[in-house]
Amino acid sequence: MAPTFIANRSAAVAAAVFFSLFLTSAFAAAEPVLSLEKLGLRRREKLSHLHFYFHDIVSGRNPTAVPVVLPPQANASRSLFGMVVMTDDPLTERPEIGSKLLGRVQGFYASASQTELGFLMVMNFAFVEGKYNGSYLSILGRNTVMSAVREMPVVGGGGLFRFARGYAQAKTYTVDYSTGDAVVEYNVYVFHY
């Protein structure tokens, strides 16, 4: 009985290998060849510099940044470790909230440090004005809020920013320590097609 089992097992392994090779060759033959033109990409990348102001409003009747997870009561640290805040913050051309709206910052930031005010930033800068209208940049990185200038990577984007890569520099313009509201100046340097 043992030789029959071994023979059946060998046949099953051979059939599995054959089927796997068949599927691999079938999918390889069906895979289309991508072209830059079909993806809407130009042949040369360009470097763009974007400058705007991010308004993080946590106070008042219509906040644009809302805590969705508060730190545990046992964590009385000044870093607010564990807090998560969802945002739909305006991006403006100038530091005044009433200046021209360029887009929205939609995403979240989370306090990820036990020892300093250091946020994990997961943001989409969605533009609603000018040539970038309908396009967005995605930021994912560390923001140590008390540093004079913070740098975060641009990890991608959509629309005119498809295949984007670069970095964003954030600098606090103003902060109201009584309300928590802040205006942050951003300079973004991004390669895109």
Side-chain angles (χ1 to χ4, degrees), residues 96-131:
E96 298 79 25
I97 189 69
S99 69
K100 185 177 187 179
L101 181 71
L102 301 177
R104 312 280 313 173
V105 178
Q106 297 168 332
F108 70 88
Y109 55 87
S111 182
S113 175
Q114 293 183 20
T115 58
E116 64 182 329
L117 200 53
F119 293 142
L120 162 67
M121 305 289 282
V122 182
M123 303 280 181
N124 288 314
F125 292 172
F127 298 97
V128 298
E129 178 63 36
K131 68 180 177 179

Side-chain angles (χ1 to χ4, degrees), residues 8-148:
N8 288 342
R9 184 172 177 221
S10 296
V13 168
V17 168
F18 174 77
F19 186 68
S20 171
L21 290 173
F22 172 75
L23 284 178
T24 301
S25 64
F27 282 120
E31 187 175 303
V33 175
L34 298 177
S35 71
L36 291 175
E37 290 77 22
K38 286 183 180 179
L39 291 172
L41 302 176
R42 298 183 190 131
R43 292 189 185 268
R44 287 184 68 182
E45 276 186 307
K46 62 181 176 179
L47 175 64
S48 293
H49 171 225
L50 296 101
H51 178 257
F52 45 78
Y53 293 85
F54 168 121
H55 298 265
D56 198 48
I57 304 164
V58 297
S59 69
R61 293 173 51 149
N62 294 308
T64 62
V66 178
V68 293
V69 176
L70 296 175
Q73 290 294 328
N75 178 17
S77 72
R78 294 172 51 102
S79 73
L80 302 172
F81 178 65
M83 180 182 70
V84 179
V85 177
M86 293 300 297
T87 68
D88 186 12
D89 291 341
L91 290 177
T92 61
E93 187 173 52
R94 298 171 29 99
E96 298 79 25
I97 189 69
S99 69
K100 185 177 187 179
L101 181 71
L102 301 177
R104 312 280 313 173
V105 178
Q106 297 168 332
F108 70 88
Y109 55 87
S111 182
S113 175
Q114 293 183 20
T115 58
E116 64 182 329
L117 200 53
F119 293 142
L120 162 67
M121 305 289 282
V122 182
M123 303 280 181
N124 288 314
F125 292 172
F127 298 97
V128 298
E129 178 63 36
K131 68 180 177 179
Y132 300 125
N133 183 19
S135 299
Y136 66 92
L137 290 170
S138 297
I139 306 288
L140 173 67
R142 183 170 188 255
N143 183 352
T144 52
V145 177
M146 301 312 280
S147 298

Side-chain angles (χ1 to χ4, degrees), residues 139-162:
I139 306 288
L140 173 67
R142 183 170 188 255
N143 183 352
T144 52
V145 177
M146 301 312 280
S147 298
V149 177
R150 291 85 70 189
E151 185 173 298
M152 293 160 280
V154 173
V155 296
L160 292 178
F161 293 118
R162 194 177 294 155

